[in-house]
Amino acid sequence: MAINEIVERIIAINHAWKLAREKFGAQNPITLSLREQKSSWQANLIRSFPAEVFLKEASDSDSHEERLLSVRLRKPLQIASGLKSDAEHLPVRLANVLFTEKELKKYIVKEL
């Protein structure tokens, strides 16, 4: 699967997750499944394209309930909805489950 296809899938799942959370609540099985799918696709994106994708602490983490990482693209990608420079947020708690400590050290960029 091409990088732009994976990014589009992540964005679509993220939108569906937010809608499910609003309609059914954060703990609904559908909502939880969508959240887990999005995170799994993000991990797949990072592992499949490590030269093109990295993690960075989200600058807007303070406005959320938990610490987030931004899944960033080194170069903006053209997707159906326009130019995209990220593949949504990934909660730190899920990153700690999906990646080993060694992977996190490799993928998290402190400064650009």
Side-chain angles (χ1 to χ4, degrees), residues 56-92:
K56 183 166 176 56
E57 182 135 11
S59 57
D60 60 347
S61 262
D62 293 342
S63 63
H64 295 275
E65 297 172 8
E66 61 184 321
R67 278 185 52 222
L68 300 173
L69 295 170
S70 181
V71 180
R72 308 292 300 173
L73 303 168
R74 293 198 187 274
K75 290 192 267 183
L77 278 179
Q78 183 66 45
I79 61 170
S81 62
L83 230 68
K84 193 73 174 158
S85 60
D86 66 83
E88 307 299 346
H89 290 107
L90 175 65
V92 170

Side-chain angles (χ1 to χ4, degrees), residues 50-54 72-76 85 106-107 109 112:
E52 295 161 289
V53 182
F54 64 95
R72 308 292 300 173
L73 303 168
R74 293 198 187 274
K75 290 192 267 183
S85 60
K106 175 181 169 185
Y107 298 136
V109 173
L112 285 180

Side-chain angles (χ1 to χ4, degrees), residues 3-70:
I3 188 171
N4 60 322
E5 293 172 315
I6 297 173
V7 171
E8 285 180 339
R9 182 165 292 191
I10 291 167
I11 293 165
I13 294 170
N14 190 56
H15 288 291
W17 166 69
K18 287 179 179 179
L19 289 172
R21 188 178 58 187
E22 288 174 18
K23 185 167 179 101
F24 306 118
Q27 297 307 310
N28 182 278
I30 294 170
T31 306
L32 295 172
S33 176
L34 287 166
R35 183 188 70 192
E36 289 171 10
Q37 280 185 55
K38 179 188 73 115
S39 299
S40 179
W41 277 102
Q42 288 170 313
N44 183 44
L45 173 70
I46 294 162
R47 287 185 178 118
S48 298
F49 299 95
E52 295 161 289
V53 182
F54 64 95
L55 294 169
K56 183 166 176 56
E57 182 135 11
S59 57
D60 60 347
S61 262
D62 293 342
S63 63
H64 295 275
E65 297 172 8
E66 61 184 321
R67 278 185 52 222
L68 300 173
L69 295 170
S70 181

